[in-house]
Amino acid sequence: MKKSFYLLGALILVILAGCSGNEASGDQEDGPLKVGVTAGPHEDVMNKVKEVAAEDGFEIEVIAFNDYVMPNTALDEGELDANVFQHEPYLNDFVQERGLELSKVATTINFPMGIYSDQYESLDDLQEGDKVGLPNHSTGEPRALMLFEQAGIIELKDGVGVKATIKDIEKNPYNLEFVPLEASQIPRQLGELAIAAINTNFAMESGRVPKEDSLVIEPENSPWVNVIATKTENKDNERIQKLVEYYQSDEVKQFIQDDFKDSVVASW
């Protein structure tokens, strides 16, 4: 009987070990730190961070995603230790809408959003009723609308700021039709639109050079800086803090300046 009890206990331990094998390692001292990013510049920069960390004997596993939802979902579910792909307004909205315990740890880089077109060389070429693409998520939409207002093609109601929606357009002299789309898909659908607001990472991933190919681009002092996020309970974890240290290093900043010029801006 006692032997059977010991065997059952051993079996339970094996099962528990197997179940925890895919969990991230932010609160552990062994295994690589798992960091989620979106494909493109975020992935390129994080691979440089990984290289810098490796020189110090610190291992990072970079996991790339192709959308803005899964990196936070995977972080919440414990499949990641941290992620780097979003600005703080998006993180705050995502956390509030889904009731998650995720927090900003540090700032990283800024990707100025731009207005692009395969059809026109200037916004002066816009025609009555043209279709305009913009991101459909809760921070991408107001960001794009603020950029359209900056470009002079619409006017928004006073005071709406980062909460602006299409319904807040007060003046639309071209009677433009605004088409909300999944942010990552806009470059592929640009041929079906007159113009569109595209995040820099997705523009670059599609082969565009923001400073050269955009009709209008956000100023360098744009407030939409990206962040490192982790579970709130791990904010002060030593390994997460090491990630911040490696990310905000001189080597990584120089890499960003050399590889991305003015299309990506370091925050530190």
Side-chain angles (χ1 to χ4, degrees):
M1 183 70 177
K2 186 180 290 187
K3 184 177 181 181
S4 298
F5 177 79
Y6 287 144
L7 288 173
L8 178 59
L11 179 60
I12 291 172
L13 288 174
V14 170
I15 292 172
L16 289 175
C19 290
S20 63
N22 291 327
E23 292 180 357
S25 56
D27 56 355
Q28 302 172 15
E29 295 304 320
D30 57 343
L33 193 77
K34 296 182 179 180
V35 182
V37 297
T38 43
H42 274 305
E43 184 178 10
D44 294 338
V45 174
M46 186 52 63
N47 279 327
K48 180 62 179 180
V49 176
K50 176 180 177 179
E51 178 185 314
V52 171
E55 294 174 358
D56 200 29
F58 189 95
E59 188 178 0
I60 294 174
E61 180 181 350
V62 182
I63 302 171
F65 297 84
N66 290 307
D67 72 297
Y68 283 171
V69 176
M70 286 304 298
N72 277 337
T73 302
L75 179 58
D76 177 65
E77 293 176 353
E79 296 173 10
L80 300 173
D81 297 305
N83 65 40
V84 183
F85 78 99
Q86 63 197 323
H87 49 63
E88 193 169 7
Y90 180 82
L91 172 64
N92 291 341
D93 281 356
F94 197 99
V95 164
Q96 184 175 358
E97 290 172 3
R98 305 197 180 209
L100 306 183
E101 293 293 331
L102 307 179
S103 296
K104 164 193 167 183
V105 180
T107 60
T108 58
I109 51 182
N110 191 18
F111 296 85
M113 179 180 277
I115 300 174
Y116 297 82
S117 178
D118 284 345
Q119 183 176 344
Y120 299 140
E121 295 184 0
S122 168
L123 292 179
D124 294 335
D125 299 328
L126 281 171
Q127 301 296 310
E128 180 89 8
D130 272 343
K131 291 185 177 182
V132 178
L134 72 166
N136 64 1
H137 55 80
S138 58
T139 56
E141 181 177 347
R143 183 178 183 179
L145 291 170
M146 291 170 68
L147 180 59
F148 293 146
E149 183 176 48
Q150 173 196 326
I153 60 175
I154 62 167
E155 287 186 23
L156 297 169
K157 295 176 182 176
D158 288 340
V160 291
V162 297
K163 297 296 183 182
T165 70
I166 291 173
K167 294 179 181 179
D168 294 314
I169 297 174
E170 194 165 66
K171 293 184 180 179
N172 181 8
Y174 293 100
N175 290 316
L176 301 171
E177 178 184 347
F178 292 89
V179 185
L181 299 165
E182 170 61 39
S184 62
Q185 299 302 311
I186 296 178
R188 299 184 182 91
Q189 297 179 259
L190 187 57
E192 303 168 20
L193 305 162
I195 61 171
I198 303 178
N199 296 85
T200 289
N201 55 321
F202 292 129
M204 294 177 69
E205 188 180 338
S206 67
R208 295 175 172 85
V209 179
K211 279 286 186 178
E212 297 177 8
D213 296 332
S214 62
L215 303 182
V216 175
I217 197 165
E218 286 177 335
E220 291 185 4
N221 62 351
S222 166
W224 307 92
V225 63
N226 284 252
V227 300
I228 297 173
T230 189
K231 282 190 171 184
T232 303
E233 64 191 53
N234 290 333
K235 275 186 68 175
D236 299 321
N237 178 275
E238 183 179 351
R239 302 184 81 209
I240 297 297
Q241 292 304 316
K242 291 293 286 184
L243 172 64
V244 174
E245 178 184 332
Y246 295 129
Y247 200 109
Q248 295 186 344
S249 64
D250 291 339
E251 296 96 322
V252 172
K253 187 171 188 176
Q254 190 62 52
F255 170 82
I256 293 167
Q257 292 173 345
D258 292 344
D259 276 44
F260 301 111
K261 310 303 179 187
D262 296 328
S263 296
V264 179
V265 182
S267 68
W268 68 97

